[in-house]
Amino acid sequence: MNYTILVTGAAYGTQNSSTAFLFCKSLLKTKHTLYSIFFYCDGVLNANSMTTPAVDEFNLIEAWQGLNKKHKVKLYVCNSAALRRGVIADEKTLNVNVKKGNLACFFQLSGLMELAHSIKICDRIIQF
């Protein structure tokens, strides 16, 4: 089966993101196809490269990036939700006075049309 995962919880403070990550790993272990992961609402905070967990905590942002590196899973971030929460790609993306954005590597800004497309071509969408 083909899956799209919708993550609406922040990286830290709720269980949504960590549960979504564990679910994604299970999908890949059982040979299902994970088409994409779409981060929406507070879920866009999973793409903030400035998030730094304590050294003894699990680094969820790096874990998401690892899914992309190892399994080529697309990591889409809702552009509008990201802007509202201060997650930006770089100064070329917006007319803001910043030198470097804080969108983590392997995440890409996208719109809700990408989510709609993912839902259309996948068998299941699971929201966390």
Side-chain angles (χ1 to χ4, degrees):
M1 285 194 127
N2 293 324
Y3 286 84
T4 290
I5 304 300
L6 177 62
V7 180
T8 58
Y12 299 98
T14 68
Q15 286 294 120
N16 297 43
S17 293
S18 57
T19 303
F21 176 75
L22 293 173
F23 183 78
C24 290
K25 282 184 61 170
S26 295
L27 282 177
L28 294 168
K29 273 186 182 176
T30 57
K31 305 296 183 204
H32 290 285
T33 302
L34 182 53
Y35 176 74
S36 67
I37 303 168
F38 193 87
F39 298 92
Y40 188 56
C41 297
D42 283 343
V44 301
L45 297 173
N46 285 275
N48 186 346
S49 65
M50 297 177 76
T51 302
T52 309
V55 293
D56 62 339
E57 288 181 8
F58 181 69
N59 191 328
L60 194 53
I61 288 87
E62 285 181 1
W64 288 122
Q65 293 170 322
L67 277 182
N68 176 273
K69 286 185 221 174
K70 187 173 181 181
H71 301 284
K72 305 295 183 224
V73 175
K74 298 172 185 135
L75 304 174
Y76 294 119
V77 178
C78 178
N79 190 36
S80 297
L83 290 174
R84 281 187 220 105
R85 290 162 179 84
V87 178
I88 58 172
D90 58 29
E91 74 279 356
K92 295 173 195 141
T93 309
L94 298 169
N95 291 330
V96 293
N97 192 18
V98 294
K99 298 285 185 209
K100 183 179 177 218
N102 60 342
L103 182 70
C105 295
F106 306 108
F107 289 87
Q108 56 187 12
L109 293 176
S110 180
L112 290 175
M113 286 300 293
E114 187 60 52
L115 176 61
H117 174 71
S118 298
I119 291 170
K120 180 181 177 187
I121 65 171
C122 289
D123 301 312
R124 300 280 187 269
I125 179 168
I126 311 290
Q127 179 180 348
F128 292 91

